[in-house]
Amino acid sequence: MSNLEKYIIVFLISMVPVVELRGAIPIGIGAYNLPVVQTFIICIIGNMIPVPFIFLFARKVLEWGIDKPVLSKPFSFLLNKGHKGGQKLKAKAGRGLYYALFLFVGIPVPGTGAWTGTLAASILDLDFKKTVLAVLAGVLLAGIIMAISSYGLFEIIF
C-alpha cells in the first residue's frame, strides 16, 4: 500500500463519528508508520470537515424526524433532552460555555469529540463561529494528546 493510500485511509477514519482522530492518529503512527506531523495535520483536517455540516443540519434533521412514525420518539427525545440539558448547562457555565465545549471535545475519552460537541452546540443554538473555534481548539488538543501518547507508546513498544 502506498503512503498516499495510507493517508487517505487515515483521513477518512478521522471523519468517522466516535472514532474520529482519536482512532486515526494511532493507526497512522502505529499501524502505517506515517510521520507524526503529517498524520496530525491530515487527521485535524479530516476531523473538522464534518463540523459545519453537523452544526447547520443536525438540528434540522432531528426536527424533520419529529413527525415521522418511526423516528418521532427518538428524535423528540434527543431534541428535548438536548434542549433541557443545554439550558441547565448555559445557566451554570454562563460565558464559560465555549471553554466547556473546548474541553469536552479536547479531552479524548469515550463519548466526547467533535461530532458530539458540535451536535450539542447545534441543539443549544450556540453561535456558529464560536462553536467552530471551540471545536477546532478541542480537536487540536485531542490531536496533540493522541499524537504524543501514540508516538510515545509506539516508541516504547518498538
Side-chain angles (χ1 to χ4, degrees):
M1 181 182 313
S2 72
N3 274 354
L4 178 59
E5 291 172 319
K6 292 175 184 176
Y7 282 121
I8 291 171
I9 290 170
V10 168
F11 175 77
L12 293 173
I13 291 170
S14 68
M15 295 176 76
V16 174
V18 181
V19 178
E20 301 183 24
L21 61 67
R22 299 149 203 272
I25 288 176
I27 290 170
I29 294 171
Y32 292 152
N33 204 26
L34 295 172
V36 175
V37 174
Q38 288 89 335
T39 301
F40 176 81
I41 292 169
I42 293 292
C43 289
I44 296 296
I45 294 168
N47 203 177
M48 286 303 296
I49 285 176
V51 167
F53 300 101
I54 297 165
F55 186 88
L56 296 172
F57 300 114
R59 183 178 185 140
K60 290 176 182 167
V61 168
L62 290 172
E63 289 172 347
W64 168 84
I66 285 178
D67 62 353
K68 306 301 181 259
V70 176
L71 304 175
S72 179
K73 283 188 178 185
F75 281 29
S76 295
F77 173 79
L78 288 172
L79 270 175
N80 291 332
K81 188 78 168 169
H83 184 72
K84 288 177 184 174
Q87 293 306 320
K88 289 179 184 176
L89 183 61
K90 277 184 180 181
K92 287 182 181 179
R95 290 179 32 195
L97 189 58
Y98 293 99
Y99 294 112
L101 179 60
F102 155 69
L103 291 173
F104 178 81
V105 173
I107 305 300
V109 296
T112 67
W115 278 78
T116 308
T118 305
L119 179 59
S122 173
I123 290 173
L124 294 174
D125 284 328
L126 298 184
D127 180 74
F128 177 76
K129 288 181 185 178
K130 290 178 182 179
T131 295
V132 171
L133 289 174
V135 170
L136 175 60
V139 167
L140 288 169
L141 176 61
I144 290 168
I145 292 168
M146 292 308 301
I148 289 171
S149 61
S150 296
Y151 183 74
L153 176 65
F154 292 113
E155 282 294 309
I156 291 169
I157 294 172
F158 304 109

